Amino acid sequence: LAKSLCAFGLSSAVDEETVWVMLSGKSELIITTFVDDIVCCHNDNKLFNSFLTHLRSRFEINDEANLEWYLAVHHKTSADCKRVTTSQASYIDSLPSTFGGMHWNTTKTQTRMDEKFTVSQLDLPIKADEELNSKHSQLLGSLLFVSCSSRPDISLAVNKLARYAACATDKTYTALKRVLRYLIATKDRGITWTAMLPLNHGRNELYAYVDAAYADCPDTR
């Protein structure tokens, strides 16, 4: 696939090998790949159709038209094509039956990850409970997938609870299940990407905020 993309004139992004870009005058073609799935973004139908013809000459492909589902993430594009909302309600709906039954009490508040939630050395098991570790890791993996794909609001809780993947306790597993209960109650939330007016001399700006804490663990600080 990489050779075919290069042959068409696409170049791999410097820091992300799954993203390929082609700029030709005012025409842009950007694609991302995952195994045998490809998502294309473009502003020139002629260039895009030429790219499809190029791929069809080398591979058997299915054109799914406008992006709607990709890697269990739903993408909804506004009528004016200026907003795309990503969400994972269907994936979240599938999780309760995997982790303990169909009916869960839901909550619209997350697990608190401040100093009121602590797991001390005394809480940790002397010998790891492999069955509990397995359940903890499976749920953790599912929640990490959701947090990275469409729900960054659970990232803090999930990443902190990931510390206990090899030494899970009932307390940490219950906290993970609360995150899932929160997701079930708020499953229709997601990320909305909006086209902005050009800023910074014609370029959009990306803002990131970090709340760094270097002494939030009472056992190690």
Side-chain angles (χ1 to χ4, degrees):
L1 177 60
K3 291 181 179 179
S4 296
L5 298 178
C6 288
F8 187 74
L10 286 148
S11 301
S12 176
V14 174
D15 54 357
E16 181 50 73
E17 295 181 354
T18 64
V19 176
W20 295 73
V21 180
M22 181 178 181
L23 304 177
S24 179
K26 294 184 178 180
S27 299
E28 300 179 6
L29 175 64
I30 303 172
I31 73 167
T32 181
T33 63
F34 183 82
V35 190
D36 58 353
D37 292 323
I38 298 177
V39 172
C40 302
C41 303
H42 67 91
N43 63 354
D44 186 329
N45 286 330
K46 184 177 180 180
L47 176 62
F48 175 64
N49 289 331
S50 177
F51 175 64
L52 286 183
T53 300
H54 174 77
L55 283 184
R56 288 193 177 106
S57 69
R58 290 161 170 78
F59 307 100
E60 182 178 340
I61 66 170
N62 294 318
D63 180 7
E64 302 290 343
N66 293 332
L67 177 64
E68 187 172 358
W69 289 95
Y70 185 64
L71 304 180
V73 180
H74 183 246
H75 299 75
K76 183 178 181 181
T77 304
S78 63
D80 60 4
C81 296
K82 292 186 177 181
R83 294 186 306 280
V84 176
T85 299
T86 59
S87 61
Q88 289 179 278
S90 295
Y91 180 76
I92 293 169
D93 278 339
S94 72
L95 295 179
S97 60
T98 304
F99 300 102
M102 294 295 294
H103 303 290
W104 284 56
N105 294 323
T106 60
T107 176
K108 291 191 175 181
T109 59
Q110 287 200 63
T111 300
R112 294 190 63 170
M113 285 293 118
D114 55 18
E115 289 190 6
K116 292 185 178 181
F117 181 89
T118 59
V119 179
S120 69
Q121 295 295 330
L122 295 176
D123 294 321
L124 299 179
I126 298 175
K127 183 179 180 180
D129 184 333
E130 296 302 331
E131 182 179 355
L132 182 58
N133 281 354
S134 177
K135 292 193 297 183
H136 189 284
S137 295
Q138 289 178 41
L139 180 53
L140 176 65
S142 296
L143 297 178
L144 281 169
F145 172 55
V146 175
S147 71
C148 292
S149 301
S150 64
R151 295 294 299 270
D153 54 322
I154 66 170
S155 294
L156 175 63
V158 173
N159 288 333
K160 283 200 171 185
L161 291 168
R163 300 173 180 176
Y164 307 100
C167 54
T169 68
D170 288 335
K171 185 176 183 178
T172 61
Y173 188 56
T174 297
L176 273 181
K177 289 193 290 185
R178 184 182 176 90
V179 178
L180 177 54
R181 289 167 52 207
Y182 167 73
L183 282 180
I184 296 169
T186 60
K187 64 183 180 181
D188 293 320
R189 295 180 184 175
I191 302 175
T192 297
W193 309 91
T194 304
M196 300 172 59
L197 293 175
L199 301 173
N200 191 23
H201 304 291
R203 299 182 63 182
N204 289 330
E205 294 181 341
L206 177 65
Y207 294 91
Y209 300 89
V210 178
D211 183 12
Y214 298 100
D216 61 345
C217 178
D219 289 323
T220 59
R221 66 186 176 196

